[in-house]
Amino acid sequence: MKGYLHIGMPKTATTSIQNTLYSHRDHLLAKGRILYPALDANLTTPLCSMFLENPQKHVTNRLISKEDLPGIISGYFAALESDLKRSGFDTIVFSAEGLANLRAPEISRLKDWLYGFCHDWTILFWARHPVGWTTSNIQQILKSGLPLESIPVCHNLPNYKGRLTHWIKLFGKETIQLSNFDEIITQPGGAVAHFARQIGLDAHITDLLVREQQHENMSMSHECAELLSALNRLRPMIVDNKLGLQRTGRELELFMQIPGRKFELSPAARAEIRELSRSDVAWLNETFGVSYYPDLFDEPYAPGPESETGSQRWQQNSIEALALIFSNLINSNFALQRAHAAEAAVREKRFTDAVKLYSEAARVNPHNATYRKRAEALRRNHGLVDIN
């Protein structure tokens, strides 16, 4: 039995790889005797929840109550172990880029669990140029609800030494297969083809995956980033582990449709990334005997001027006004949908559901007093407790 554990890093085409393999998992099992679990394409949330010391801190668990989370985690264990106990496969493939963030005790617990099913594991780790990685990672944090000014460069570096040291200690350096994302994406078939070869797929299956790969293109324009950042600042997305007032959680989907120039960090920020990452990349190169990102060691290095498009920025008050206008339109539509659903619930005498729907409409559109008054009237007329 052979196992491959893909621990990322994030922002190295992991979603495209995961979705492609997941959608072809039946073919992988039948033709390649490879098990790709049915639980989810990306096992980050299940595996991190299963082995983190405090799973409540995992980003996707923030909106789940402490009472409900243990049962959900038990379900993760049951689903994965059910797959692992089946027959008909010789190779296990887990992909969960969030595992690169685990600490030593958490990795140790994960290792003990993995070795209960297989004793021959290869850890797949993909590195990326620090400037490209940090730029992409900051976009991801922005999508999660923080404004750009609250995302310092120095706290969002690749940190190869910090991520890999515990994996080396617990699994052994010989088990870690390092790849350079920036080289991979220039090769025929790109990330999916490289990953397929890493897990031992033959040319026929690899070609199939490349032809039918599911591209994940979540690139963000600079204009989109500035608008979303302004909205996150003016109307926080998460407050007390709940969606904030006047936020639907749907803003990103619509904001991502805004075209414009490619998102980039300032020249000063890019210079800071290069300076702060130099010793980390030197450690990576020395530890694994590679020579990644030699440009980081070029001296002297000075940041170039702001690009011409970078100088043509909107005024801050214009950005904030547009962000709120878009938000209000989204909220009005969302609240109206909830109100229509609430009216249908009333006709069906599902009064508790109706109160919840009207309350949700009032949360995202508090300027329309009708929603709040209707929820209050239903509570009063039907003896319902306040659910807020």
Side-chain angles (χ1 to χ4, degrees):
M1 183 73 68
K2 175 65 180 174
Y4 292 93
L5 182 63
H6 178 212
I7 65 171
M9 288 185 26
K11 319 314 300 178
T12 57
T14 51
T15 302
S16 293
I17 293 167
Q18 291 159 352
N19 288 344
T20 299
L21 267 64
Y22 187 78
S23 65
H24 292 83
R25 64 187 185 279
D26 290 340
H27 187 81
L28 291 174
L29 185 63
K31 301 298 182 180
R33 294 184 62 82
I34 290 177
L35 173 69
Y36 196 90
L39 177 59
D40 203 349
N42 183 355
L43 292 175
T44 289
T45 292
L47 290 176
C48 286
S49 300
M50 289 159 62
F51 298 104
L52 280 172
E53 292 182 357
N54 184 357
Q56 195 78 42
K57 289 186 176 181
H58 185 60
V59 61
T60 56
N61 293 336
R62 288 187 300 173
L63 300 180
I64 299 175
S65 70
K66 291 182 179 180
E67 294 74 22
D68 292 339
L69 190 55
I72 293 172
I73 293 174
S74 294
Y76 293 151
F77 273 106
L80 288 174
E81 290 174 358
S82 176
D83 256 356
L84 290 167
K85 291 175 182 177
R86 63 188 296 181
S87 59
F89 64 91
D90 304 316
T91 303
I92 305 166
V93 177
F94 285 169
S95 181
E97 69 270 23
L99 294 179
N101 297 320
L102 262 57
R103 298 183 296 177
E106 298 162 343
I107 297 171
S108 181
R109 290 196 294 272
L110 170 62
K111 179 184 177 181
D112 290 343
W113 182 76
L114 291 173
Y115 272 59
F117 303 97
C118 172
H119 284 82
D120 182 11
W121 286 92
T122 294
I123 310 301
L124 304 180
F125 185 89
W126 291 25
R128 181 176 178 180
H129 193 291
V131 173
W133 190 87
T134 297
T135 300
S136 186
N137 193 50
I138 284 177
Q139 288 184 65
Q140 190 63 39
I141 297 171
L142 172 63
K143 294 174 186 178
S144 73
L146 288 180
L148 285 171
E149 61 270 19
S150 298
I151 312 174
V153 161
C154 62
H155 294 163
N156 291 283
L157 301 170
N159 188 23
Y160 296 122
K161 184 176 181 179
R163 293 177 189 271
L164 284 170
T165 296
H166 297 309
W167 289 93
I168 292 171
K169 180 179 179 180
L170 290 165
F171 279 85
K173 188 175 71 173
E174 69 281 359
T175 70
I176 298 176
Q177 194 172 126
L178 180 68
S179 299
N180 183 353
F181 171 76
D182 300 271
E183 292 180 355
I184 290 167
I185 58 175
T186 67
Q187 300 170 357
V192 168
H194 183 85
F195 190 88
R197 290 190 291 268
Q198 281 191 302
I199 62 174
L201 291 176
D202 62 31
H204 176 75
I205 300 178
T206 297
D207 290 344
L208 170 67
L209 295 179
V210 170
R211 287 197 308 271
E212 300 184 6
Q213 64 181 298
Q214 298 190 17
H215 295 281
E216 180 70 15
N217 183 14
M218 287 291 284
S219 59
M220 177 185 293
S221 69
H222 206 97
E223 290 77 6
C224 167
E226 291 202 32
L227 287 166
L228 187 59
S229 178
L231 183 59
N232 289 343
R233 180 174 62 256
L234 297 169
R235 293 177 177 173
M237 188 166 77
I238 303 294
V239 179
D240 296 329
N241 293 325
K242 297 179 180 179
L243 275 174
L245 187 68
Q246 294 181 271
R247 292 297 295 263
T248 66
R250 296 181 176 179
E251 295 86 2
L252 176 62
E253 178 184 352
L254 296 172
F255 276 40
M256 288 290 291
Q257 299 176 33
I258 298 171
R261 60 191 174 95
K262 181 181 179 181
F263 175 77
E264 61 181 9
L265 300 175
S266 70
R270 297 197 296 272
E272 182 182 4
I273 295 167
R274 295 169 64 91
E275 178 67 26
L276 295 176
S277 298
R278 191 172 291 128
S279 62
D280 192 39
V281 171
W283 174 89
L284 186 75
N285 288 340
E286 181 179 358
T287 301
F288 290 94
V290 296
S291 55
Y292 290 177
Y293 322 127
D295 63 290
L296 292 180
F297 305 97
D298 292 343
E299 295 290 357
Y301 174 79
E306 293 279 1
S307 65
E308 182 180 349
T309 54
S311 65
Q312 299 172 353
R313 294 188 58 188
W314 296 342
Q315 294 293 320
Q316 188 61 35
N317 59 351
S318 299
I319 294 171
E320 293 180 352
L322 285 170
L324 292 178
I325 289 170
F326 290 155
S327 177
N328 288 339
L329 290 171
I330 294 167
N331 292 345
S332 294
N333 183 61
F334 181 90
L336 189 60
Q337 291 176 348
R338 288 296 185 270
H340 287 325
E343 292 164 7
V346 170
R347 290 193 295 271
E348 297 168 5
K349 301 188 183 304
R350 294 184 291 110
F351 301 115
T352 299
D353 290 340
V355 169
K356 290 180 180 179
L357 289 163
Y358 274 126
S359 297
E360 185 71 356
R363 183 186 63 78
V364 299
N365 191 1
H367 303 297
N368 188 331
T370 301
Y371 304 137
R372 176 180 54 80
K373 291 179 179 178
R374 186 66 175 127
E376 291 173 351
L378 285 168
R379 290 193 195 98
R380 182 174 59 253
N381 295 339
H382 297 283
L384 302 175
V385 298
D386 191 340
I387 62 173
N388 292 330

